[in-house]
Amino acid sequence: MCAERDSGDWRDAGLATRAIHAGQGPDPATGAVMTPVYQTSTFAQHGVGGHAGWDYARAGNPTRDALELALASLEQDPADQGGASPRGVAFSSGLAACDAVLRQLRPGDHVVMADDVYGGTYRQMARVHQPWGLAFDAVDLGDLDAVAAAIRPTTRMLWVETPTNPLLTVFDIAALAELAAEHGLTVVVDNTFATPVLQQPLALGADVVVHSTTKYLGGHSDVVGGAVVTANDALAEAYRFHATAVGAVPGPWDAFLVLRGIKTLPLRLRAHGAAAERVATAAGELAGVREVLWPGLADHPGHAVAARQMHGYGGMVSLRLADAETAKRACARFAVFTLAESLGGVESLVEHPAAMTHASTGDSPIAVPEDLVRLSVGLEDPDDLIADLRQAVAGD
Ligand SMILES: *Cc1c(COP(=O)(O)O)cnc(C)c1O
């Protein structure tokens, strides 16, 4: 594998520079400035076993390698100059990345998971891993005593998501990592909502970061993908082996699209955050809105932790309206925001989590409120977004 060919080269550079250059040098064969889409399943060998680092594309492809180097570079702790370079492994979806992480556990092992996680993560845990012998408890990770009480002799992993999808709850990664270290637990952080631009969990003590690159990293709602990043070499090897042995790998086109998205990630996140601040503030003034959930608001319960562990508050805003029917009717009235699942793209999206993205948690302990509306604030003119929000909420 040539995947390590320029890892670390951009260690000293700022995040925006790494987003554009790490892993993405000009193509050595042609000088192409953009990473080529190596649309090939196999690679010619000049003698048996003699090749340039790639033999079969399930195991590795140069476009995917570039993506993995870029992802690893973005999660690099800038203060940890002497430390191990993180390594990234790309997957065909965020849930395939979660699966690779959870499959490192063994039957009988126990996981403490946030009681407020992406519905698909909960469903995978409850309906795929639990029947194969993993045990888990969904716990309020904001309550460290509750977390400590949930840890059993068989607990191996603490699964954190912050800010959470869809309630925008913020958990204190450093405090959780400290507690987990006392019990020898692997700390996994789903960093999909924050992205490495706003939050670097490895620098806060986490062992593993997972991403749905479908969201902000891709950024244009045109690709489904996932990634795992860790500075633990044994875990990195295990994830890479899992990707090759199981095969949930992204194709070169998908890898290219995520790479192209990453180049503008720092710029986009700034604009998403600024627009979200305006939308959240405007929403707070609407009579039909009972509660605005955005970690940047001073009265958000996680604001102080977010201010400390994040570099900005992101583009996701959730609203609680009068009741389920009001929320569903409002969702259908938006005109600039598109009613659709997913998030993190340049276009604004609105959805009703209880009936859409989180329907799979419906009768579980982590069911989301039915009066909740989730907004992914995009890059349109914020004035248009606010006018759209006003008419959608005022409609009744
Ligand atoms: C979307 C999402 C996932 C799952 O990713 P897919 O790419 O849809 O498989 C996992 N975690 C969070 C927080 C998400 O928003």
Side-chain angles (χ1 to χ4, degrees):
M1 286 286 294
C2 291
E4 254 57 57
R5 67 191 184 282
D6 64 350
S7 93
D9 281 4
W10 297 92
R11 214 171 225 256
D12 299 334
L15 199 73
T17 307
R18 283 183 269 153
I20 291 169
H21 293 292
Q24 303 163 75
D27 179 42
T30 62
V33 167
M34 279 301 288
T35 307
V37 179
Y38 284 92
Q39 191 75 49
T40 185
S41 61
T42 191
F43 300 83
Q45 307 200 3
H46 52 71
V48 174
H51 54 72
W54 297 275
D55 52 9
Y56 183 61
R58 176 161 35 69
N61 169 296
T63 316
R64 195 165 94 222
D65 290 355
L67 170 61
E68 291 176 339
L69 288 167
L71 288 163
S73 176
L74 292 182
E75 296 287 357
Q76 169 82 50
D77 176 357
D80 189 16
Q81 288 297 322
S85 290
R87 292 164 64 186
V89 183
F91 288 90
S92 57
S93 71
L95 283 179
C98 294
D99 178 64
V101 171
L102 289 166
R103 295 266 203 123
Q104 305 313 315
L105 300 175
R106 292 295 172 261
D109 288 351
H110 176 253
V111 179
V112 174
M113 197 176 77
D115 64 355
D116 179 11
V117 288
Y118 172 62
T121 307
Y122 180 84
R123 178 177 61 187
Q124 185 184 97
M125 183 68 101
R127 294 181 53 193
V128 178
H129 300 294
Q130 189 168 251
W132 280 100
L134 282 195
F136 77 101
D137 279 303
V139 176
D140 174 6
L141 300 189
D143 179 349
L144 292 181
D145 293 334
V147 177
I151 296 172
R152 311 175 186 172
T154 53
T155 306
R156 299 280 174 267
M157 183 176 283
L158 178 63
W159 189 282
V160 186
E161 185 180 306
T162 181
T164 62
N165 179 0
L167 289 169
L168 284 315
T169 308
V170 173
F171 297 122
D172 187 335
I173 298 172
L176 288 164
E178 200 174 311
L179 174 61
E182 290 167 20
H183 298 270
L185 313 184
T186 302
V187 179
V188 181
V189 176
D190 184 332
N191 205 24
T192 298
F193 266 37
T195 84
V197 174
L198 302 185
Q199 177 171 280
Q200 292 178 308
L202 300 182
L204 295 165
D207 301 293
V208 180
V209 171
V210 298
H211 284 289
S212 168
T213 57
T214 312
K215 316 293 170 52
Y216 286 106
L217 289 160
H220 297 74
S221 305
D222 52 9
V223 61
V224 170
V228 183
V229 179
T230 180
N232 177 317
D233 276 341
L235 286 177
E237 280 307 318
Y239 302 141
R240 179 162 305 291
F241 173 79
H242 186 86
T244 302
V246 176
V249 295
W253 248 118
D254 288 357
F256 173 86
L257 288 171
V258 177
L259 260 181
R260 189 172 65 167
I262 284 174
K263 288 177 191 288
T264 55
L265 184 70
L267 187 64
R268 282 187 288 110
L269 258 291
R270 267 202 301 283
H272 282 298
E277 177 163 22
R278 290 201 48 204
V279 167
T281 305
E285 289 158 6
L286 298 180
V289 176
R290 285 199 300 119
E291 193 180 357
V292 182
L293 303 171
W294 185 64
L297 295 174
D299 63 357
H300 184 282
H303 180 68
V305 174
R308 200 162 66 230
Q309 78 181 7
M310 300 177 72
H311 318 287
Y313 303 101
M316 298 301 296
V317 178
S318 288
L319 309 175
R320 297 194 66 176
L321 306 188
D323 53 40
E325 284 318 306
T326 310
K328 284 188 194 170
R329 280 200 303 275
C331 284
R333 272 195 300 261
F334 280 88
V336 181
F337 286 80
T338 300
L339 177 59
E341 302 201 359
S342 203
L343 61 107
V346 293
E347 66 293 301
S348 292
L349 300 179
V350 57
E351 68 123 2
H352 185 256
M356 295 171 64
T357 48
H358 290 66
S360 62
T361 65
D363 46 13
S364 81
I366 71 157
V368 297
E370 300 215 331
D371 55 22
L372 194 73
V373 170
R374 190 188 75 184
L375 304 175
S376 173
V377 178
L379 303 183
E380 300 92 340
D381 190 315
D383 291 334
D384 293 330
L385 298 178
I386 291 166
D388 194 33
L389 171 70
R390 284 209 179 100
Q391 66 76 25
V393 170
D396 280 311

